Amino acid sequence: MKAMKAASAREKLAIAEKALAKKSFFRPAPDYYTAESKLKAAALDFKLCGELNNAIDALTRAAGCAIHNKDHFVAASHFENAANIARDKRTPEDEKRALKLFDRACELYNQSHNVAGTIGVKYRVGRSLYDKDPEKSATYLLEASKLIDITRNDSLNIDVFALTMNVLVRLRRLPDALEVLQRFTDMCKRVGRRDQLFKNNLTRTILMCAMGDFAGANEKFMDDIQVGDYLKQTEAATAEDLIEAFSKHDAAKLKQVQAGRGFRFLENEVAKFAVALKMDGDAPPTSGSVSYTHLRAHETEADL
């Protein structure tokens, strides 16, 4: 089977090479359409027979042909497919190569005015880097979140904002997290996502309290309860108790709030962050816990 696929790939590659041969009297220009089609097909055969480097090369060449044909969307999809193959090889060199190919795919999606394509690529790259390189993951996810049209009710947009929030809180980049949260919240208001809006309101309270801005947290809370039925929700009760605990420096109250169920439906990193908060003057933070007076934007969980 592999031998047959390898032979088929080389036959298609030969046809593509012929189509790209120098122009002659009978063919005034290379046939990029035929070459692109055959290179794409050859790439699939190379992938199926395990010749992954040849598959990547064939796809990048197919992308070049598509660019000649001024079809930037198709070129972007070829670069994205090549990047996926390179990433799946799981070697450091190929992972670097994959990122360059993903970046090139994004450039071409942008040139074809396919913003959704760019968002999708950046989101998937950010997700794949989440555990191994959170800082780089945050870069891709932030870029994706900034491209989102907050007037559209799209499930991908929710996923992008949620994962971006998670990685930023994980990295303790709270000002950045608040900025993303504001756009996320604006989108939820526009598209009527009440369930997510309530979670976002509580998340903002947590982040602002963690940064020591209790007055600001209370002011935002008062704005929140003027809209809809937020005041009737568990999130509102939890937010109010949290503000009271920090404003009065009531460690017992904080522990009571953390022992409750108010944080359980928040994003994973936000919930973990909330239950790990400590009052200034408590015992020094241990692994997985943090005192709000010692937060620094560059801290990661490994530092805490």
Side-chain angles (χ1 to χ4, degrees):
M1 177 67 177
K2 286 187 177 182
M4 290 177 60
K5 287 295 181 183
S8 174
R10 284 171 172 77
E11 287 177 8
K12 292 165 184 170
L13 193 61
I15 297 172
E17 296 287 6
K18 186 175 181 180
L20 291 171
K22 293 181 179 179
K23 62 184 181 180
S24 64
F25 176 79
F26 298 101
R27 186 171 58 199
D31 184 354
Y32 291 110
Y33 289 99
T34 297
E36 185 265 329
S37 175
K38 293 301 179 180
L39 286 166
K40 176 184 176 181
L44 178 58
D45 284 342
F46 278 131
K47 181 180 178 181
L48 292 174
C49 72
E51 296 187 26
L52 300 185
N53 284 332
N54 285 336
I56 294 169
D57 290 341
L59 282 169
T60 55
R61 293 185 66 193
C65 292
I67 291 171
H68 273 287
N69 295 332
K70 301 188 184 306
D71 193 338
H72 291 159
F73 176 82
V74 169
S77 67
H78 289 325
F79 276 119
E80 184 179 359
N81 289 334
N84 286 328
I85 296 172
R87 182 194 58 199
D88 290 344
K89 292 181 70 180
R90 300 185 184 281
T91 68
E93 181 179 348
D94 284 306
E95 287 177 354
K96 291 180 181 178
R97 183 182 185 186
L99 290 180
K100 291 180 180 179
L101 291 167
F102 280 128
D103 289 343
R104 183 62 176 135
C106 288
E107 291 175 5
L108 290 163
Y109 278 131
N110 284 337
Q111 290 177 28
S112 64
H113 306 291
N114 190 306
V115 178
T118 303
I119 293 173
V121 170
K122 289 184 180 294
Y123 168 70
R124 289 187 288 274
V125 173
R127 185 178 58 189
S128 71
L129 293 170
Y130 186 88
D131 289 319
K132 66 179 66 175
D133 193 340
E135 284 287 359
K136 190 169 289 185
S137 171
T139 297
Y140 279 95
L141 291 169
L142 275 169
E143 289 173 354
S145 70
K146 290 176 181 177
L147 294 172
I148 287 175
D149 179 355
I150 62 173
T151 66
R152 295 186 58 192
N153 188 5
D154 189 316
S155 59
L156 177 60
N157 292 347
I158 298 288
D159 292 341
V160 171
F161 276 130
L163 192 59
T164 307
M165 285 293 304
N166 270 306
V167 74
L168 291 174
V169 172
R170 182 180 183 184
L171 293 168
R172 304 302 188 248
R173 291 171 55 177
L174 302 193
D176 290 336
L178 275 174
E179 186 176 336
V180 171
L181 182 64
Q182 185 58 58
R183 293 196 73 234
F184 193 5
T185 299
D186 289 343
M187 187 191 78
C188 291
K189 289 178 179 178
R190 286 171 179 258
V191 302
R193 289 296 300 264
R194 291 172 62 257
D195 57 334
Q196 187 63 55
L197 177 61
F198 298 153
K199 296 174 188 178
N200 287 1
N201 290 344
L202 176 54
T203 297
R204 183 179 60 230
T205 297
I206 292 166
L207 298 182
M208 294 183 75
C209 284
M211 296 170 68
D213 187 5
F214 317 132
N218 187 62
E219 182 179 343
K220 291 291 186 182
F221 174 76
M222 297 305 294
D223 290 340
D224 293 338
I225 63 176
Q226 305 303 316
V227 180
D229 56 350
Y230 180 54
L231 188 58
K232 300 177 182 179
Q233 310 303 315
T234 300
E235 290 90 346
T238 304
E240 186 174 22
D241 288 343
L242 191 65
I243 293 168
E244 181 181 351
F246 275 110
S247 298
K248 296 181 178 180
H249 199 76
D250 187 341
K253 178 77 170 181
L254 174 61
K255 290 177 182 178
Q256 181 183 0
V257 175
Q258 291 170 325
R261 298 163 58 88
F263 302 135
R264 65 178 300 183
F265 296 115
L266 300 181
E267 293 303 323
N268 186 49
E269 293 293 343
V270 176
K272 289 195 299 182
F273 179 72
V275 299
L277 286 170
K278 288 184 177 294
M279 289 290 179
D280 187 28
D282 278 2
T286 58
S287 178
S289 66
V290 59
S291 168
Y292 65 81
T293 57
H294 299 295
L295 283 170
R296 295 191 296 274
H298 64 274
E299 281 183 329
T300 67
E301 286 183 327
D303 298 320
L304 298 172

